Amino acid sequence: QVQLVESGGGLVQAGNSLRLSCAASGGTFSGYGVGWFRQAPGKEREFVCATNWNNDNTYYADSVKGRFTISRDNAKNTVYLQMNSLKPEDTAVYYCASARYGSALFQKPSLYDYWGAGTQVTVSS
């Protein structure tokens, strides 16, 4: 069973950057699609971006397009989320998820098979 662990969250000022990592253990997810989601207090979990198994196809929510970049290093079993030009509205718990379908760019949380516990990102104004 694949286990995912996010890291890299923290408190930053608006305009700054953070890089989140999602490390897989208990198995490889090199053949899986991977997505990032976020959930702010009182709101539903929201799709952020996704990448297919070899990162040659990605998809971003409009709210982060041009500011966030998803990438992966399959040799390290790790997916990254580079977040630039952060805004206070980016404040949320960020989750990574993997789907056994390698070409997946799913936007619906229910289509993912494995989830991490999340990492908090707080952006101050």
mmCIF file of all heavy atoms in Angstrom, residues 67-89:
data_model
loop_
_atom_site.group_PDB
_atom_site.id
_atom_site.type_symbol
_atom_site.label_atom_id
_atom_site.label_comp_id
_atom_site.label_asym_id
_atom_site.label_seq_id
_atom_site.Cartn_x
_atom_site.Cartn_y
_atom_site.Cartn_z
ATOM 1 N N ARG A 67 1.547 30.526 -11.541
ATOM 2 C CA ARG A 67 2.228 30.753 -10.255
ATOM 3 C C ARG A 67 2.750 29.452 -9.654
ATOM 4 O O ARG A 67 3.802 29.457 -9.003
ATOM 5 C CB ARG A 67 1.274 31.416 -9.247
ATOM 6 C CG ARG A 67 0.746 32.760 -9.675
ATOM 7 C CD ARG A 67 -0.030 33.431 -8.549
ATOM 8 N NE ARG A 67 -1.206 32.663 -8.141
ATOM 9 C CZ ARG A 67 -1.416 32.234 -6.902
ATOM 10 N NH1 ARG A 67 -0.539 32.475 -5.946
ATOM 11 N NH2 ARG A 67 -2.527 31.560 -6.610
ATOM 12 N N PHE A 68 2.034 28.370 -9.862
ATOM 13 C CA PHE A 68 2.406 27.071 -9.288
ATOM 14 C C PHE A 68 2.912 26.155 -10.395
ATOM 15 O O PHE A 68 2.444 26.211 -11.528
ATOM 16 C CB PHE A 68 1.210 26.409 -8.627
ATOM 17 C CG PHE A 68 0.731 27.055 -7.353
ATOM 18 C CD1 PHE A 68 1.169 28.309 -6.953
ATOM 19 C CD2 PHE A 68 -0.187 26.401 -6.547
ATOM 20 C CE1 PHE A 68 0.718 28.890 -5.784
ATOM 21 C CE2 PHE A 68 -0.646 26.957 -5.377
ATOM 22 C CZ PHE A 68 -0.198 28.215 -4.998
ATOM 23 N N THR A 69 3.862 25.290 -10.023
ATOM 24 C CA THR A 69 4.393 24.306 -10.964
ATOM 25 C C THR A 69 4.505 22.954 -10.270
ATOM 26 O O THR A 69 5.118 22.859 -9.203
ATOM 27 C CB THR A 69 5.774 24.712 -11.487
ATOM 28 O OG1 THR A 69 5.689 26.004 -12.099
ATOM 29 C CG2 THR A 69 6.281 23.704 -12.510
ATOM 30 N N ILE A 70 3.927 21.946 -10.898
ATOM 31 C CA ILE A 70 4.039 20.586 -10.382
ATOM 32 C C ILE A 70 5.133 19.865 -11.158
ATOM 33 O O ILE A 70 5.276 20.030 -12.377
ATOM 34 C CB ILE A 70 2.692 19.834 -10.483
ATOM 35 C CG1 ILE A 70 2.770 18.483 -9.776
ATOM 36 C CG2 ILE A 70 2.232 19.679 -11.924
ATOM 37 C CD1 ILE A 70 1.414 17.794 -9.639
ATOM 38 N N SER A 71 5.919 19.081 -10.442
ATOM 39 C CA SER A 71 6.971 18.287 -11.075
ATOM 40 C C SER A 71 7.159 17.006 -10.278
ATOM 41 O O SER A 71 6.623 16.872 -9.176
ATOM 42 C CB SER A 71 8.280 19.074 -11.150
ATOM 43 O OG SER A 71 8.748 19.397 -9.848
ATOM 44 N N ARG A 72 7.890 16.077 -10.850
ATOM 45 C CA ARG A 72 8.107 14.827 -10.131
ATOM 46 C C ARG A 72 9.472 14.254 -10.465
ATOM 47 O O ARG A 72 10.001 14.457 -11.565
ATOM 48 C CB ARG A 72 7.001 13.825 -10.446
ATOM 49 C CG ARG A 72 6.934 13.338 -11.869
ATOM 50 C CD ARG A 72 5.647 12.564 -12.139
ATOM 51 N NE ARG A 72 5.522 11.376 -11.303
ATOM 52 C CZ ARG A 72 4.386 10.718 -11.129
ATOM 53 N NH1 ARG A 72 3.285 11.112 -11.710
ATOM 54 N NH2 ARG A 72 4.349 9.643 -10.368
ATOM 55 N N ASP A 73 10.007 13.529 -9.504
ATOM 56 C CA ASP A 73 11.256 12.795 -9.679
ATOM 57 C C ASP A 73 10.935 11.349 -9.329
ATOM 58 O O ASP A 73 10.910 10.990 -8.146
ATOM 59 C CB ASP A 73 12.338 13.374 -8.763
ATOM 60 C CG ASP A 73 13.684 12.725 -8.974
ATOM 61 O OD1 ASP A 73 13.738 11.580 -9.495
ATOM 62 O OD2 ASP A 73 14.698 13.336 -8.598
ATOM 63 N N ASN A 74 10.665 10.560 -10.333
ATOM 64 C CA ASN A 74 10.249 9.187 -10.079
ATOM 65 C C ASN A 74 11.353 8.352 -9.450
ATOM 66 O O ASN A 74 11.074 7.400 -8.711
ATOM 67 C CB ASN A 74 9.755 8.539 -11.366
ATOM 68 C CG ASN A 74 8.385 9.044 -11.777
ATOM 69 O OD1 ASN A 74 7.601 9.488 -10.935
ATOM 70 N ND2 ASN A 74 8.085 8.974 -13.064
ATOM 71 N N ALA A 75 12.603 8.707 -9.700
ATOM 72 C CA ALA A 75 13.712 7.974 -9.075
ATOM 73 C C ALA A 75 13.706 8.168 -7.568
ATOM 74 O O ALA A 75 14.152 7.299 -6.816
ATOM 75 C CB ALA A 75 15.038 8.437 -9.665
ATOM 76 N N LYS A 76 13.192 9.301 -7.130
ATOM 77 C CA LYS A 76 13.115 9.592 -5.696
ATOM 78 C C LYS A 76 11.711 9.355 -5.139
ATOM 79 O O LYS A 76 11.467 9.615 -3.966
ATOM 80 C CB LYS A 76 13.525 11.048 -5.443
ATOM 81 C CG LYS A 76 14.971 11.341 -5.765
ATOM 82 C CD LYS A 76 15.331 12.779 -5.415
ATOM 83 C CE LYS A 76 16.798 13.055 -5.692
ATOM 84 N NZ LYS A 76 17.157 14.467 -5.372
ATOM 85 N N ASN A 77 10.804 8.882 -5.996
ATOM 86 C CA ASN A 77 9.428 8.649 -5.553
ATOM 87 C C ASN A 77 8.817 9.895 -4.918
ATOM 88 O O ASN A 77 8.130 9.838 -3.885
ATOM 89 C CB ASN A 77 9.386 7.510 -4.520
ATOM 90 C CG ASN A 77 8.776 6.244 -5.089
ATOM 91 O OD1 ASN A 77 8.338 6.214 -6.240
ATOM 92 N ND2 ASN A 77 8.739 5.206 -4.292
ATOM 93 N N THR A 78 9.071 11.046 -5.524
ATOM 94 C CA THR A 78 8.658 12.318 -4.942
ATOM 95 C C THR A 78 8.053 13.213 -6.011
ATOM 96 O O THR A 78 8.545 13.274 -7.148
ATOM 97 C CB THR A 78 9.849 13.026 -4.282
ATOM 98 O OG1 THR A 78 10.407 12.170 -3.271
ATOM 99 C CG2 THR A 78 9.405 14.327 -3.627
ATOM 100 N N VAL A 79 6.992 13.897 -5.615
ATOM 101 C CA VAL A 79 6.363 14.914 -6.452
ATOM 102 C C VAL A 79 6.468 16.243 -5.720
ATOM 103 O O VAL A 79 6.374 16.295 -4.492
ATOM 104 C CB VAL A 79 4.892 14.564 -6.728
ATOM 105 C CG1 VAL A 79 4.182 15.708 -7.435
ATOM 106 C CG2 VAL A 79 4.797 13.291 -7.563
ATOM 107 N N TYR A 80 6.667 17.302 -6.477
ATOM 108 C CA TYR A 80 6.874 18.627 -5.896
ATOM 109 C C TYR A 80 5.791 19.589 -6.357
ATOM 110 O O TYR A 80 5.223 19.439 -7.442
ATOM 111 C CB TYR A 80 8.241 19.178 -6.306
ATOM 112 C CG TYR A 80 9.392 18.270 -5.952
ATOM 113 C CD1 TYR A 80 9.938 17.414 -6.900
ATOM 114 C CD2 TYR A 80 9.920 18.269 -4.664
ATOM 115 C CE1 TYR A 80 10.993 16.569 -6.575
ATOM 116 C CE2 TYR A 80 10.980 17.431 -4.339
ATOM 117 C CZ TYR A 80 11.502 16.584 -5.296
ATOM 118 O OH TYR A 80 12.543 15.759 -4.967
ATOM 119 N N LEU A 81 5.564 20.593 -5.525
ATOM 120 C CA LEU A 81 4.696 21.696 -5.910
ATOM 121 C C LEU A 81 5.430 22.985 -5.582
ATOM 122 O O LEU A 81 5.585 23.342 -4.407
ATOM 123 C CB LEU A 81 3.355 21.646 -5.172
ATOM 124 C CG LEU A 81 2.384 22.770 -5.514
ATOM 125 C CD1 LEU A 81 1.999 22.692 -6.995
ATOM 126 C CD2 LEU A 81 1.131 22.697 -4.641
ATOM 127 N N GLN A 82 5.926 23.639 -6.612
ATOM 128 C CA GLN A 82 6.582 24.934 -6.446
ATOM 129 C C GLN A 82 5.518 26.014 -6.497
ATOM 130 O O GLN A 82 4.800 26.128 -7.492
ATOM 131 C CB GLN A 82 7.619 25.149 -7.555
ATOM 132 C CG GLN A 82 8.324 26.490 -7.482
ATOM 133 C CD GLN A 82 9.207 26.628 -6.261
ATOM 134 O OE1 GLN A 82 9.916 25.696 -5.887
ATOM 135 N NE2 GLN A 82 9.158 27.784 -5.619
ATOM 136 N N MET A 83 5.431 26.788 -5.439
ATOM 137 C CA MET A 83 4.408 27.821 -5.344
ATOM 138 C C MET A 83 5.091 29.179 -5.258
ATOM 139 O O MET A 83 5.803 29.461 -4.286
ATOM 140 C CB MET A 83 3.542 27.585 -4.099
ATOM 141 C CG MET A 83 2.934 26.188 -4.045
ATOM 142 S SD MET A 83 1.768 25.977 -2.684
ATOM 143 C CE MET A 83 2.880 26.157 -1.294
ATOM 144 N N ASN A 84 4.882 29.991 -6.262
ATOM 145 C CA ASN A 84 5.459 31.332 -6.326
ATOM 146 C C ASN A 84 4.364 32.387 -6.223
ATOM 147 O O ASN A 84 3.190 32.099 -6.429
ATOM 148 C CB ASN A 84 6.224 31.511 -7.631
ATOM 149 C CG ASN A 84 7.384 30.553 -7.770
ATOM 150 O OD1 ASN A 84 8.000 30.143 -6.785
ATOM 151 N ND2 ASN A 84 7.704 30.180 -9.004
ATOM 152 N N SER A 85 4.775 33.597 -5.920
ATOM 153 C CA SER A 85 3.832 34.720 -5.839
ATOM 154 C C SER A 85 2.623 34.357 -4.986
ATOM 155 O O SER A 85 1.473 34.574 -5.389
ATOM 156 C CB SER A 85 3.381 35.135 -7.246
ATOM 157 O OG SER A 85 4.490 35.484 -8.039
ATOM 158 N N LEU A 86 2.883 33.825 -3.826
ATOM 159 C CA LEU A 86 1.796 33.362 -2.967
ATOM 160 C C LEU A 86 0.904 34.510 -2.519
ATOM 161 O O LEU A 86 1.367 35.644 -2.310
ATOM 162 C CB LEU A 86 2.359 32.621 -1.763
ATOM 163 C CG LEU A 86 2.822 31.190 -2.075
ATOM 164 C CD1 LEU A 86 3.760 30.671 -1.000
ATOM 165 C CD2 LEU A 86 1.618 30.272 -2.226
ATOM 166 N N LYS A 87 -0.380 34.194 -2.374
ATOM 167 C CA LYS A 87 -1.386 35.167 -1.955
ATOM 168 C C LYS A 87 -2.054 34.671 -0.670
ATOM 169 O O LYS A 87 -2.088 33.456 -0.417
ATOM 170 C CB LYS A 87 -2.444 35.303 -3.048
ATOM 171 C CG LYS A 87 -1.911 35.671 -4.413
ATOM 172 C CD LYS A 87 -3.023 35.663 -5.452
ATOM 173 C CE LYS A 87 -2.501 35.997 -6.837
ATOM 174 N NZ LYS A 87 -3.589 35.985 -7.855
ATOM 175 N N PRO A 88 -2.627 35.565 0.100
ATOM 176 C CA PRO A 88 -3.332 35.117 1.316
ATOM 177 C C PRO A 88 -4.413 34.082 1.013
ATOM 178 O O PRO A 88 -4.647 33.180 1.835
ATOM 179 C CB PRO A 88 -3.927 36.415 1.855
ATOM 180 C CG PRO A 88 -2.969 37.472 1.407
ATOM 181 C CD PRO A 88 -2.526 37.028 0.038
ATOM 182 N N GLU A 89 -5.051 34.180 -0.139
ATOM 183 C CA GLU A 89 -6.100 33.211 -0.478
ATOM 184 C C GLU A 89 -5.550 31.830 -0.811
ATOM 185 O O GLU A 89 -6.333 30.888 -1.015
ATOM 186 C CB GLU A 89 -6.964 33.730 -1.637
ATOM 187 C CG GLU A 89 -6.181 34.198 -2.848
ATOM 188 C CD GLU A 89 -5.977 35.716 -2.860
ATOM 189 O OE1 GLU A 89 -5.643 36.280 -1.802
ATOM 190 O OE2 GLU A 89 -6.137 36.306 -3.953
#
